[in-house]
Structure formats: structure tokens, C-alpha cells
Amino acid sequence: MTSGRRIRVRGQVQGVGFRPFVWQLAHRLGVRGQVSNDAEGVLILAAGQNLDAFERALKHEAPALAVVETVEVEVVEGAFGGTFEIVASGPQGAETRVTPDAATCPDCLAEIRTPGERRYGYPFANCTNCGPRYSILNALPYDRAQTTMAPFEMCAACRAEYEDPADRRFHAQPIACPRCGPSVWLEDRTGAIVDGDSLELAAGQLRQGRIFAIKGLGGFHLACDATQAEVVAELRQRKRRPIKPFALMAPLETIERHGDVTNATRDRLRSAAAPIVLIERSLTSDLPEEIAPGQGRLGWMLPATPLHHILLDLVDAPLVMTSGNLSGEPQVIGNNEAREKLSHFVDGSLMHDRDIARRLDDGVEIIGPTGPVVLRRARGSVPGTIPIPETLPDRQVLALGGQLKSAICLTKNRQALLSNHLGDLDDALCVDEFLKADRDMAALFDHRPESVAVDLHPDFRATRHGHALADAQGLPVFEVQHHHAHMAAALGEAGWTGSVAIGMVLDGLGLGPDGTVWGGEVLAGGYADYERSVALKPAPLVGGDRAQSEPWRNAVVRLDQAGLSNVAERLFRDKPIDVLRSAAAVGVNAPMSSSVGRLFDAVAACLGIATDRQTFEGEAAMRLQALAEKADTREAYPYAFDGQKIDPVPMFESLASDLESDLDHGVIAARFHGFVATAFANAALASAEAVGTDTIALSGGCFQNVLLLRRVIDELPDMQICGPGQVPANDGGLAFGQALVALARMESY
């Protein structure tokens, strides 16, 4: 018997080439033994003279897609043999992390562009450093038989690469080539297959102004030539998306011609996640305004698959690449589903026969003042996990998020798995997708919840589902106030372990425990509990949900509060102001709200932005931000503060005066941003001093606005800022915060 070591490696270590890396490392250092995958990660039995160096290299030299969390070592006795081998995977389980889908690596990209290579021009080339992972996974452990690649039997050449530990395709589960792998074809709008080179034909028709459905990694896109204004306008009409910005796909050199690309944006574009990154439009860009009306930024992404690389090479122009769905519905993923739902508003479809196991939208990010800020967590980031703060217990919790930008969070093994964006639960099809994701994630990760966390609002579909599930399984339910969850999410992402912090939460709507609608708060507390220190002075949301979609309603009530009824009547003379005022006076369908999101809407309406109706959530605020970013001023409108309420009356008085003097609307928008930043930062500083903390968490949908985020951080130079970052500040991060609150409360349950 020989003394050796049993080494357990935990983290994102399956599907990333970790076993061949270990094999090569062992041969380099003369280590004997074996390596295998199992339910908990990677298991290594090792003996030899260089085991200390071997252990260090496991973490410091790991493959690019690997995330090594822990390396656990124990001395064992055994027969280790004279070589080092890769052995078959252990039993199925879900104790290890699953690798997200990864964009095409440089080696595979070079192959598909090199004549004579076996995979030249092949749309599905991949290796252990890139390609589909989560989008094709049916069950763990991550082996080919557990993926949607199972029907494709490897040819002899692929099998040889797959079985060679020295090859970068060793145990690359989606390995394929033109002889044995998935194939692509072109269909016209009737579903008939078009003869010829599918990619060349599709590229030619895109150049001619056609609109295509293209099957990608996590679903279908709708694509057209982004340089042709009339085609972009036609796509808007067909998709029923009048204003909301379209995403764009292009090579990096094209993006650099149209956007102000910094090193930080370049790094995110080139990352394995390949997200959409919002980039300021350059003054020399000649792309049509129809792509993103009223916006100063365009959403760009690099091609994430060989199919997209080849198509863009052939088109030689940037492409609009928007989700393949009708606005508000889930993205289409199946071929038959695409024929049923997309064929009537596309001119053709680029199909392939590798099934997609789950819908994954494109991720969306922007570079904030402290680094990348995730706006939509999706393909390339999911199912990456977030460590649970050390002060919280290791328990299994299911958190179900909110009504909009829904997402689910599971906690297990001191990690939180925050799902991809699942859509708005106002839509019945998105509800179906939400319920499917709940079942899918529970089964895939063998999750057995000990409690359920939901939003405080009883009518949210996610809340109702959580209560029903908890009742069926006999589990406790923790109802978490919306803005407390936002605060906890920002603290948790930073790994905060203190006793008390301040949360500045600015967003649209969230039910408060007092029965009013919150949306502009300074909170003091931690994961388990909180107190509301400061809030925006409330105003009625006349018409309830209509106040969210019709900004003029918010403008009228705020102007009336400021004694500026005559201004409201002048600006909105064509609106039923008297009816609105009557409803506000008697409180009919007019709940009081402290929402900063609705305050943004009110100011936007005063400037003539989206006055009548917003065509998508956040439209008015986004356009107001774009306007403000054109102004070169750091000025801020005044406000009143009594220690508990921030009163915007002085701000509206100054704004009305500026409107009367015909001041540039960009300056007005910038001064408004300054007011919000200054008022809430000063309130947060006062609250922090009162409770004795230097930690301030920033969260809520308003912090998707990087101009506001930058202004707020500038006002807090000596404070420890938590968030936003990889957890969305909008409701896409709500479930993560709910889970942390539930964990904290379980200790005393």
C-alpha cells in the first residue's frame, strides 16, 4: 500500500476541461493516480513526489472556464498504480456547479475560418473551452448522454479526439463535426426547405432587406440588416415593438466604429458570457435612429456561436438580433414552435437540429462607475452561483421573486443559484415558463427546500405559487418586503457580514407593510430585519396600474402637490385632469406611493417624453436619462427634508420656472438627476451616522441608470458601497435578497 492524497475539488469544474487539465498536470509532475467527475465535483486520488506543487496548480492554473471554490485534501492509503488515468464519472447528483454556455473560443474560431480544417465553415464547432453547456443539459452529471447531443453518435475522428486526454476536445460533451453532428438548413415562411448553402442564402437575403428567425444557443432571434432603416421599422411593426431598443450583433471592429468602446466594455464583450453591453453611441455612427429611438446607448454583443460568426462574416454588416417572440411572450426555442409562432412575421428561418433544453435570453450589462452592472441575468451567466455570506446558515431555501423581471433563487451548499430572466408574470405564457423553471431547477439541482420566501404582495403570481407550494409540502413561508429584499441582495452580493447597514432603494413599486406603495426609501437594518428611516413624500397613483403606464398622471398629482395646478393644466390640457383630481381627492383607486420610478415618469412627462403612454416599462426614465447625459452640468434642483420625508415640491417649483424660461430640456433632466442623487445621499448619510455604520447598499430598478448611480456614489465618497454588480438591481435580483432574508430568519424560526 502507498500513502497518497484524496483531493476533492469543488466549484465550476465539470464541462470545462478540468479532468484533462489534471491529467496533463499529473504527467508533467510525475504524479500517479486517477481523476473522475462525480456528484460533488472532481475527485482525485494522487501519489508521488510533487503533491504540494500539484495541489497548488489545481487552483492557480485551472482552465479558463473553471471556478475552483475549494480544494479539500486528506491523506489516504491505497494502490495508486504506475500511471495517472481519467476514469468514468461517478453516480448522478447535483452537488457540483454547472458551467454556463460559453462563447466560441479563439481556437475553434480559427478552425472554422481555415480552409482545409475538418471543421471549416461548421456552425457547431466547440471544445472544452467553449460551446453549449446549460442550454443543452438535461441532467447531472454533465455527460453527453445527459444532454441534447445524445442523439448524435460520434464519428471515428470525433471519438478519437474525445478519448485523447492531450486533445482540447477530450470529453467535450457537445463535440461534433459535419460528418456526425447537428446540421443547419434554411426554410421559407411556408416551412419549405430551401436548397443550397443555408448560411450563404440567409446572408444574401438579409443583405436584400429580409427579416429572418435564427436559432441560436438559448432560443431564436429575429434578425435584419441594422443599416437599413426601413427594414428595422418593418421589424418593429411585425414584432409589435414600437419603441423599445433592439440589440445588435457585430464583430468588435464594427462595434468600435459605432460606439465609444472602453477597455472595460471590450473585456465584457469578449468574455465567455458574451452579453449584450450597452455602449454610448459615437458621434460618427450612421446607424438609423429606429434601432433605439431616443437613446444615447446601443446594446451590442459579439457573435457567441460559430453559426453567428459565419453569418456575420457573410453579411458584412451589423445585424439587429432581438428575441424571437412577440413582445412580452417567452423566447421561442423549438423548431415547431418557431414555425407556429414566428413564420407569419419572418421571411425565412435558419434552423438546426440540436435541441435547446431550456430558454436562455441574452444577458444585458452596462459598465457602471465601479465595474460591470448586470441588468438581465441570462445566457452565459446562469447557472453561475453566488456565495452565501458567512454569517448566514447553510440551509436550502426556495425564493420566488416578484411579478416583473421574474427569477427564482435556490440556496444549497453555501451557494445561491439565481436563475435566468423568466419574464413578466403578467403574461400567462411567462407564468408557464416560470412554473416550468421552478420544476426544472429543483430536479436538476436536487433541491429540497426547507422554507419558501416570497414577496409581501399577496396578489403576485409568484407569491401565490410560493404559498401553495409551501402548503403542499408543509414548509414555512417567509414574506419579505420588496425593498428589504432589494437591500439584502446588494449586501449579500458584497458578502456583507456586519450588524447594521443602510439601504438606499429607489425603484418603481413595492407593497409596504403599512399598505402603501413604496419605491423611494432609506432603510436601516440587515438581513433579518429593517426599519424605514426616510422616504420620498408620497403622492397618489391615480388609476392604479394605469399610473405606471401613463406618465402624465404622475406629473399632474406632483404638480398639484407643489401648488402648480396651472402648469399641469397648460402641459396636459388634452387629458381628463378633472376626473383624475376627483379620484385623487376621494382616494378611489389611488394608493399613496413614494415611488422614485413614478417621479422619473412625472418629470419626463413635464418635458414631453412618453406623456400619453409608455410602450415598455422604464421607457420614460430611459429617455430622460439619455436627455440628461447630453447636458454638461452638475447642478441639482433643491428639495425640502424634515428628517423623515424628502419633499420634491421645491424641485417642481424650480423645474416649472425653467420650463417657463425655455431652458434646454437636457439641463432640466440633469438637474433632476442631481436632485435625486443629492437628496437621497444626504438622507442615507444622516441615517448611517444615526446607527453608526459606513455601509450603504444601493439597489432598486432606478439604479440601472448609470448616470444616477454615478451621481449617488460621488455624493458618498467615504462610505462602503454595496452593489449593484452581478446581481441585477432591478427585480431580477429580488429572489436572491428574499433567500438571504429567509436564511437569516430561519435561525430564530
Side-chain angles (χ1 to χ4, degrees), residues 413-428:
N413 296 336
R414 302 215 58 80
Q415 298 288 321
L417 172 61
L418 179 60
S419 79
N420 52 295
H421 169 80
L422 299 172
D424 294 345
L425 300 187
D426 293 332
D427 181 87

Side-chain angles (χ1 to χ4, degrees), residues 422 424-436 461:
L422 299 172
D424 294 345
L425 300 187
D426 293 332
D427 181 87
L429 294 176
C430 289
V431 174
D432 292 342
E433 188 67 20
F434 171 83
L435 297 175
K436 177 184 174 183
R461 286 190 168 99

